[in-house]
Amino acid sequence: MDDAELFERIARGDAEALNRLIERHYDFIKRYCYWKTGQAELAEDLTQDTFYRFCRSLSSYKDKGKCRAYLYTIARRLCADAFRERPPEPIEQVPEAKLGSALSAEDEAGAHLQSKELLEVLQELPSELQEAIILRYSYGFRYREIAAITSVPLYKARIRVERGLAVMKKRMREEDLNEKETGRAHNHAGASPCSDV
């Protein structure tokens, strides 16, 4: 049963449909809040607050197939409020499993958000590019949804994703070249010169 069908049942007063909708999205919102804050307990509180606010707005919410984006918008605002109170944990300290699934095949590099090297490169990006990349490839949002969640025009959401990917790919190519150069230097250093002695 998709979200639209659940909303039809919720509108008819079906509490079980509401529970199913919450269960469907709960872990994703919690993981996003954890990524934004870096604190498990705070992420849990923000997730619960996200669904509390969502439930309070149900009477005025009109489902247009954007329930997921709407939930992330609420969560993002709550996380922004939490940022003002507590600084986030650096991304390298966030367990990799909390950051979501792999980058899609759309990424030419074929790298994964769960690889340590990619996490390091991702961490070097400005926060708005980091968020765009994670929303796109870890959570699978379309550009229009990313624009709605981050409150920017559609073109800017797309630019952030493309710019973030371009910077990451460039940085990873540079690292590959550095590794190759280091490997060549070791090979030359290890070779012993011939002598006639």
Side-chain angles (χ1 to χ4, degrees), residues 120-189:
E120 289 169 4
V121 174
L122 183 65
Q123 184 188 3
E124 293 171 11
L125 295 177
S127 61
E128 68 273 7
L129 300 187
Q130 268 186 40
E131 182 173 39
I133 293 289
I134 287 178
L135 287 172
R136 176 76 173 146
Y137 295 108
S138 188
Y139 294 97
F141 281 109
R142 297 185 308 260
Y143 293 117
R144 191 171 302 282
E145 294 171 312
I146 294 169
I149 291 166
T150 58
S151 303
V152 298
L154 178 60
Y155 78 90
K156 189 171 275 191
R158 187 178 196 110
I159 285 171
R160 284 180 178 178
V161 171
E162 290 173 356
R163 185 174 294 158
L165 279 179
V167 171
M168 290 174 73
K169 288 174 186 176
K170 182 179 180 215
R171 182 82 173 88
M172 291 176 79
R173 277 195 294 269
E174 288 170 359
E175 286 184 7
D176 285 346
L177 286 173
N178 287 342
E179 284 177 18
K180 287 177 184 172
E181 290 298 319
T182 304
R184 285 189 200 128
H186 281 300
N187 288 343
H188 289 307

Side-chain angles (χ1 to χ4, degrees), residues 29-87:
I29 295 297
K30 183 177 172 183
R31 189 169 58 189
Y32 175 76
C33 290
Y34 187 89
W35 171 72
K36 291 291 283 181
T37 65
Q39 299 172 41
E41 193 174 314
L42 178 59
E44 182 70 42
D45 291 344
L46 292 170
T47 302
Q48 290 179 11
D49 203 10
T50 296
F51 285 98
Y52 171 72
R53 291 186 187 210
F54 174 72
C55 289
R56 274 184 30 203
S57 70
L58 277 176
S59 59
S60 60
Y61 177 73
K62 302 286 185 252
D63 179 49
K64 297 175 183 172
K66 297 179 180 176
C67 171
R68 194 169 67 128
Y70 182 56
L71 285 167
Y72 277 87
T73 302
I74 296 170
R76 185 176 190 268
R77 287 183 186 142
L78 290 171
C79 290
D81 291 342
F83 264 123
R84 287 189 267 281
E85 296 171 19
R86 312 180 201 189

Side-chain angles (χ1 to χ4, degrees), residues 99-111:
L99 289 173
S101 59
L103 287 170
S104 77
E106 188 176 326
D107 178 23
E108 294 166 16

